[in-house]
Amino acid sequence: MMKKFGVVILLMMAMLTVLSAQETKVYNGYKELVAAVKQEIDEVDTEGFHEQYVEGLKSRKPGYILIDVRTKDKYQAGHIPGAYLVQRGVLESHIEKEAVWEGFRHAVPQKSDIIILYCRSGSRSALATKSLMTLGYKHVYSLNGGWNAWHEAYPKLERY
């Protein structure tokens, strides 16, 4: 009886190992990973973003948040006006921290808020968008083309 029980346990463990191995997709590199993630998230193009951005600034809606996930140096060199700096490396741990958002004089983002993320080119913000979706944020978007696309389309807007 004990021998059969041991065999059943081993078979169950083997099945779990096989199933968990099948769930994990391995990518051949960063670009492939980003391409796959972009299929799972919503992106906003520069024109669509600019319309939302202007409307968000005009209305001062508390449920509209623009986050720059680049480094502090890149942010200081130029960023989209109204963007909050929450670097990619700390985004998941800082998105819900009251102290972080108190420093911005902004409420902690809610799961139902509109959150638009950008980086230099749109790759890191795509990964960050996926992370926030996994944390339960419902209206998260990545700016397709990132800072580069926005700055190319709107070079005369003041760089803060």
Side-chain angles (χ1 to χ4, degrees), residues 8-26:
V8 170
I9 294 293
L10 283 174
L11 286 173
M12 288 175 60
M13 289 175 61
M15 285 176 39
L16 285 173
T17 302
V18 169
L19 289 174
S20 62
Q22 290 174 347
E23 292 175 14
T24 304
K25 169 72 173 142
V26 177

Side-chain angles (χ1 to χ4, degrees), residues 89-131:
V90 296
L91 178 68
E92 294 83 355
S93 66
H94 280 45
I95 193 73
E96 297 175 346
K97 277 192 179 174
E98 287 188 31
V100 170
W101 294 96
E102 284 174 4
F104 294 144
R105 296 188 179 142
H106 193 286
V108 173
Q110 300 300 304
K111 304 282 181 171
S112 60
D113 288 347
I114 295 171
I115 301 173
I116 299 178
L117 305 168
Y118 75 92
C119 61
R120 181 185 59 82
S121 66
S123 295
R124 284 173 292 163
S125 59
L127 297 173
T129 297
K130 176 68 174 170
S131 290

